[in-house]
Amino acid sequence: MGFFHLSLFVILGTFPAALLAQGVMYSSIAVNVTETIAETDENFVCATIDWWPHDKCNYNRCPWGYSSAINLNLSNPFLGRAIQAFKNLRIRIGGSLQDQVVYDVGKLKVPCHPFQKINNGLFGYSKGCLHMKRWDELNCLFRNNRVVVTFGLNALFGRHRIRQDAWGGDWDSSNARDFIRYTISKGYPVDSWEFGNELSGSGIGASVAAEQYGKDLIALRKVIDELYENSHVKPLLIAPGGFFDEGWYTKLLQVSGPGVINVMTHHIYNLGAGIDPNLVSKILSPLYLSEISKTFSDLQETIRKHGPWSSAWVGESGGAYNSGGRHVSNTFVNSFWYLDQLGMASKHNTKVYCRQSLIGGNYGLLNWSTSLPNPDYYSALLWHRLMGKGVLTVESNAPSHLRSYAHCSKGRAGVTLLLINLNNETNFITRVHNNNVKSLVVEKQPSTEEGTILIRGLKKTVSFVGTRSSKAAPLFREEYHLTPKDGYLRSQVMLLNGTPLEVTEDGEIPTLKPAFAHVNSLVSVAPLSMAFIVLPSMYAPACA
């Protein structure tokens, strides 16, 4: 009897004619409030800063500009304010060229030059250099904006190519050791060190055998334990930052053994190439979105069987690879994929989800040329502020086009629902029921008269935007409805409860104001929209 039942109603207009003209679907949602099925990290939402130089191009376009770890304008006020809005945003420094980066510190015996295009280089580039002055500047940005730092180390240093894309030989830890020692000496708080990027399985551009990788992780663990011996907090060791390959991941855990890897990271680009003309149809297909759930469950099972001392992260995910889809990844429609990914990953006990990228490419949370937020930035910020660590089971008899996820609310009592309506013409209508009601069965559409009565009821309990009296707090819920400007799915402007989300005249991130509705009133999720529904009065023993 630990289910709190919700029947979903949605109304598109404020007149009976509009109500009856739209497709209306009645369904039921049940949230199990007695136990959590998974738990995320406090800083679940994460974004990456990559290494790509300004001349990184895909499909005859170069959407990176100056947005990498080596050339990003760190004094840009929009950048700082966008990070500050999260209060504690996790940022991962890493990407395709990560295993080409050398650190200009200590007894480095190889030249430390900028990335240059060369024919036989990994991804067409030479090795690149991270100067310690630049590392100092990055850490100034991180410190001033309370960033939780994950840094991806070069896992190819000292190795040699043995055939085509396969690399062999022991990893040379000397440069990483000097870099970590410098980081500690400066007091820079790195939360986690990641080893390598996309070297698992057959690799992307390069690969390393799992047995060798496991041995190298043992060596890196010794380095970290030694250098952090006198530290109160020891950073996590995470790996391999590649695409999930069950046999390879299993072997890595078996070779490295307990006490070495804290986190298994994997990458997701399940929408395919950025140039794919079918990106939007994939994003709006519940069947397609659900296909990746097998990867989540398979990794979860691999960890349970072979490495229960570790946990799962999505170390990088941009939806569409090769810098994302132009006019898709940076528009409203992409949030259907992104928010669904966050919900799905959470259900499979994923602790952290790193979005490719914070800035850079077409899939940046921030526009690579202006540093202003793209729609997915606001989706990430709302999730970060509203969805707590505890993940709850949701049961629904709604069709697959209505995606639903539930978490304990963040920092307060109650439950927060995320509802995603992928249908382009159906409204889902919601009503709250007691625990004995399993579903709402509707045998006919409401008549015009019934619709009029329904609208009168809505006028009494209709959502409103603004400040409400604290005395009324227990009687109201919060609603955050996300729609595109002018109904255009590829709009770069997202509306929150009908108001455009744009930086203020002073360049500040806009206040994300909820609409308020009486707890017993109807909930509306319009066609092709998303909504966070905060239910402070829903008693959830699992969240206590």
Side-chain angles (χ1 to χ4, degrees):
M1 297 301 293
F3 288 86
F4 197 102
H5 291 270
L6 301 173
S7 295
L8 280 138
F9 265 98
V10 175
I11 296 172
L12 182 63
T14 55
F15 299 96
L19 169 66
L20 298 175
Q22 294 295 321
V24 176
M25 181 69 69
Y26 300 81
S27 62
S28 173
I29 284 184
V31 181
N32 187 339
V33 295
T34 61
E35 61 179 353
T36 57
I37 57 169
E39 183 174 287
T40 67
D41 187 80
E42 185 71 26
N43 302 108
F44 172 73
V45 172
C46 163
T48 69
I49 295 179
D50 212 308
W51 293 101
W52 288 120
H54 71 280
D55 55 0
K56 156 67 174 174
C57 305
N58 293 103
Y59 318 122
N60 299 316
R61 295 185 180 275
C62 308
W64 284 87
Y66 294 87
S67 59
S68 81
I70 53 177
N71 58 30
L72 179 62
N73 178 6
L74 304 180
S75 62
N76 185 318
F78 292 136
L79 176 67
R81 289 165 182 163
I83 296 173
Q84 284 174 8
F86 284 84
K87 295 185 178 179
N88 294 98
L89 176 64
R90 180 183 296 276
I91 292 180
R92 169 198 178 239
I93 311 296
S96 297
L97 296 183
Q98 171 180 318
D99 298 303
Q100 293 281 86
V101 178
V102 293
Y103 319 115
D104 190 20
V105 63
K107 300 176 181 179
L108 181 63
K109 297 178 182 178
V110 298
C112 205
H113 299 312
F115 289 113
Q116 293 181 339
K117 283 192 172 183
I118 58 173
N119 292 331
N120 61 343
L122 188 61
F123 301 105
Y125 284 93
S126 68
K127 289 182 173 64
C129 183
L130 175 61
H131 295 285
M132 292 305 96
K133 180 182 178 182
R134 181 61 176 179
W135 182 229
D136 295 340
E137 293 168 349
L138 283 164
N139 277 278
C140 183
L141 173 74
F142 299 156
R143 182 181 63 249
N144 291 340
N145 296 289
R146 301 172 63 182
V147 169
V148 180
V149 179
T150 294
F151 189 94
L153 294 167
N154 180 344
L156 289 183
F157 193 76
R159 302 191 202 274
H160 58 277
R161 197 187 301 264
I162 54 178
R163 64 180 180 277
Q164 199 169 1
D165 292 339
W167 290 63
D170 292 336
W171 174 63
D172 182 346
S173 65
S174 60
N175 193 220
R177 176 188 291 271
D178 289 340
F179 177 55
I180 295 172
R181 181 184 289 114
Y182 177 87
T183 299
I184 295 171
S185 72
K186 300 291 284 188
Y188 299 149
V190 173
D191 172 82
S192 40
W193 295 101
E194 185 176 32
F195 188 60
N197 184 83
E198 297 180 354
L199 302 174
S200 58
S202 58
I204 303 296
S207 65
V208 176
E211 186 170 0
Q212 178 66 60
Y213 214 99
K215 293 177 181 178
D216 296 327
L217 278 168
I218 294 172
L220 177 54
R221 167 54 72 189
K222 290 179 180 178
V223 170
I224 291 174
D225 289 347
E226 174 190 326
L227 295 179
Y228 284 92
E229 182 179 8
N230 298 320
S231 299
H232 296 297
V233 179
K234 189 176 295 183
L236 301 174
L237 174 54
I238 66 181
F243 291 94
F244 177 66
D245 179 303
E246 184 175 352
W248 195 99
Y249 273 58
T250 297
K251 186 70 172 178
L252 182 67
L253 286 168
Q254 291 172 338
V255 171
S256 57
V260 176
I261 303 176
N262 302 111
V263 174
M264 298 292 284
T265 50
H266 68 118
H267 293 182
I268 293 175
Y269 286 90
N270 61 315
L271 295 179
I275 201 173
D276 188 343
N278 298 312
L279 286 180
V280 171
S281 62
K282 287 180 177 180
I283 289 170
L284 297 179
S285 166
L287 182 63
Y288 192 91
L289 291 179
S290 294
E291 287 179 359
I292 196 65
S293 65
K294 187 177 188 305
T295 298
F296 285 117
S297 60
D298 287 350
L299 175 57
Q300 188 177 13
E301 183 64 11
T302 298
I303 289 174
R304 186 189 69 80
K305 286 183 177 179
H306 305 288
W309 53 84
S310 62
S311 58
W313 289 14
V314 172
E316 182 181 313
S317 182
Y321 59 79
N322 288 344
S323 303
R326 186 167 174 259
H327 301 319
V328 176
S329 299
N330 57 352
T331 69
F332 175 84
V333 72
N334 203 63
S335 276
F336 289 107
W337 165 82
Y338 182 39
L339 286 177
D340 190 67
Q341 277 280 295
L342 296 182
M344 189 186 304
S346 299
K347 286 174 59 177
H348 288 90
N349 217 32
T350 303
K351 303 301 184 184
V352 170
Y353 192 106
C354 294
R355 169 62 179 263
Q356 173 80 342
S357 62
L358 173 63
I359 185 168
N362 294 309
Y363 41 34
L365 296 179
L366 305 177
N367 181 287
W368 63 268
S369 62
T370 65
S371 298
L372 295 175
N374 284 322
D376 279 1
Y377 170 85
Y378 296 111
S379 296
L381 187 56
L382 281 168
W383 177 289
H384 181 74
R385 291 181 177 180
L386 301 176
M387 302 291 267
K389 296 191 297 181
V391 186
L392 304 169
T393 300
V394 178
E395 293 184 357
S396 173
N397 64 1
S400 60
H401 281 83
L402 182 68
R403 318 280 281 187
S404 52
Y405 301 97
H407 283 228
C408 300
S409 293
K410 190 168 187 176
R412 52 179 158 170
V415 170
T416 298
L417 289 172
L418 168 61
L419 303 175
I420 303 172
N421 186 356
L422 299 173
N423 195 290
N424 64 356
E425 58 184 18
T426 301
N427 294 314
F428 293 91
I429 306 180
T430 311
R431 186 174 289 163
V432 179
H433 288 272
N434 62 40
N435 291 351
N436 293 322
V437 180
K438 297 300 182 183
S439 63
L440 177 66
V441 180
V442 178
E443 298 180 351
K444 65 183 182 68
Q445 293 289 331
S447 66
T448 302
E449 181 180 358
E450 290 170 335
T452 303
I453 295 172
L454 184 59
I455 294 304
R456 288 173 183 165
L458 277 176
K459 288 181 179 179
K460 294 179 181 179
T461 57
V462 67
S463 298
F464 59 92
V465 179
T467 305
R468 54 176 168 75
S469 168
S470 59
K471 294 180 180 180
L475 299 177
F476 291 88
R477 64 170 184 262
E478 295 178 8
E479 300 185 354
Y480 301 80
H481 294 268
L482 303 175
T483 55
K485 184 178 181 181
D486 299 325
Y488 179 50
L489 285 179
R490 298 198 193 190
S491 173
Q492 291 185 297
V493 178
M494 174 180 275
L495 306 184
L496 172 59
N497 297 322
T499 301
L501 289 173
E502 299 171 323
V503 297
T504 67
E505 293 181 359
D506 297 328
E508 299 290 339
I509 299 299
T511 302
L512 304 182
K513 294 182 179 180
F516 297 105
H518 194 279
V519 291
N520 294 323
S521 66
L522 305 179
V523 175
S524 302
V525 186
L528 295 177
S529 74
M530 296 155 278
F532 290 93
I533 309 297
V534 182
L535 303 165
S537 61
M538 181 184 285
Y539 174 62
C543 302

